[in-house]
Amino acid sequence: MPVLPLPEPYSFRLSTERLRTWGADLATLWHEEGVHRIIGGREVRIEEALGGVSVEPLTEEVEPVVRHLLGAPFDLGAFAAFAAAEPVLGPVVERLAGLRPLLLADPFEALVTSITAQQVSLFAATAVRNRLIERYGERADHAYAFPAPERLAAVEPAELVALGFSHRKAEYVVGLARLAPELDGLAALRDEEVKARLQAVRGLGEWTADWFLARHLGRPEAWPAGDLGVRKAVSAFYGDGRELSTEEVRAMSARFAPFQNLTVHYLLVAGRLP
DNA sequence: TACCAGGTAAAAA
DNA sequence: TTTTTACATGGT
């Protein structure tokens, strides 16, 4: 299988940890020790390889998508150098050497994924989202293509309620599907402008906008301070035995600049490891 | 059974 | 303007 190289050190195992716990769904499938995704209408398999990952098939269309999916834009070297001077973060980064956070490939999918995860556990969110993907997505060998916005724009919200969405969330998803063509343009905007545009959409608040910056656009300074998991992880490492408030976590952003996004991911993974 | 889990908008105060 | 409430699923 053709190899897509990634800068050393790279750990496929650590980088895909999220997919083996709560992060995988039918559109980003963890199957037989590899990642399966539909790219350009075809199922692509990504697995561990020396010096990077094996990708089958590795076409001109597939390569940039897989590079984005695997978080290739992150500058891990600069982050490690930064963290080395931090007494708490330093050992975390050293222990998780080679962790390159995965990114969500598609803006519409990223936002729908966030909507499903609002307020409920990630486990429950994945169960509901998989019913959505199964119902409206197209299946290849193993993975499904995430439902197209044109398809979801045409459904009655009541159909989504039958899949486990609240009435509110069902309206959010259908409304968002109608705006999907505008989402590609967000990549050209600065962080604050992206947040403002997203938060103007019904159903998308600051939490969702922050995760969009972090997990879809891979913006280095994204810092989802309001996220419960982030708050717990930051508190565990920096709270001195106490749960920090959203405002306290938000105020810590500057300390990790310009590596807030990587810091969040490393602390989250470190908090989940035994 | 009740409560919590990687929020948000709308109602009530 | 700020605070409170309803919401749906799945695990404990």
Side-chain angles (χ1 to χ4, degrees):
Chain A
M1 285 172 69
V3 171
L4 177 65
L6 288 164
E8 296 283 0
Y10 177 66
S11 167
F12 184 71
R13 191 77 196 163
L14 269 179
S15 301
T16 55
E17 177 269 349
R18 185 155 77 80
L19 297 181
R20 285 188 298 280
T21 52
W22 46 263
D25 60 31
L26 294 170
T28 306
L29 192 64
W30 181 255
H31 175 70
E32 292 179 353
E33 297 303 303
V35 182
H36 291 237
R37 275 285 296 184
I38 308 303
I39 300 172
R42 289 188 59 190
E43 180 154 337
V44 175
R45 175 177 164 83
I46 307 163
E47 62 182 41
E48 186 162 25
L50 201 59
V53 292
S54 295
V55 181
E56 181 63 43
L58 184 56
T59 64
E60 275 187 24
E61 181 182 20
V62 166
E63 176 168 346
V65 177
V66 171
R67 288 183 56 78
H68 179 263
L69 179 72
L70 297 177
F74 288 116
D75 187 349
L76 295 190
F79 178 54
F82 164 81
E86 281 275 331
V88 175
L89 188 60
V92 169
V93 174
E94 209 169 311
R95 175 161 178 234
L96 299 179
L99 167 60
R100 187 174 281 284
L102 299 177
L103 294 176
L104 290 150
D106 175 79
F108 176 66
E109 179 179 349
L111 292 171
V112 172
T113 297
S114 280
I115 290 170
T116 63
Q118 287 168 3
Q119 168 61 20
V120 301
S121 70
L122 295 170
F123 196 100
T126 303
V128 171
R129 191 165 66 252
N130 277 340
R131 294 201 284 268
L132 177 81
I133 295 169
E134 203 164 26
R135 174 72 182 76
Y136 299 106
E138 290 196 21
R139 185 181 173 167
D141 284 345
H142 305 92
Y144 283 73
F146 193 83
E150 309 84 61
R151 179 76 183 87
L152 294 181
V155 310
E156 283 298 322
E159 296 178 44
L160 302 189
V161 173
L163 302 177
F165 284 76
S166 63
H167 289 89
R168 220 22 114 60
K169 286 187 180 181
E171 290 171 12
Y172 296 167
V173 168
V174 174
L176 180 67
R178 295 177 179 155
L179 301 175
E182 302 170 29
L183 298 176
D184 285 327
L186 295 172
L189 306 177
R190 292 179 302 106
D191 291 6
E192 286 312 314
E193 184 62 21
V194 174
K195 284 184 69 165
R197 299 274 186 104
L198 289 178
Q199 290 183 87
V201 177
R202 184 160 178 272
L204 311 184
E206 182 171 33
W207 175 88
T208 301
D210 278 339
W211 276 124
F212 185 87
L213 290 173
R215 286 229 169 100
H216 170 62
L217 295 178
R219 293 293 166 85
E221 304 195 31
W223 180 250
D227 179 83
L228 183 58
V230 170
R231 248 169 46 221
K232 286 196 291 193
V234 173
S235 300
F237 288 95
Y238 289 94
D240 199 23
R242 190 171 60 80
E243 282 291 303
L244 300 175
S245 70
T246 294
E247 289 317 313
E248 288 175 306
V249 173
R250 193 190 309 283
M252 291 181 65
S253 174
R255 170 175 187 166
F256 303 112
F259 299 105
Q260 291 95 323
N261 192 354
L262 284 168
T263 299
V264 158
H265 281 90
Y266 273 71
L267 292 181
L268 282 172
V269 173
R272 285 196 293 268
L273 290 181

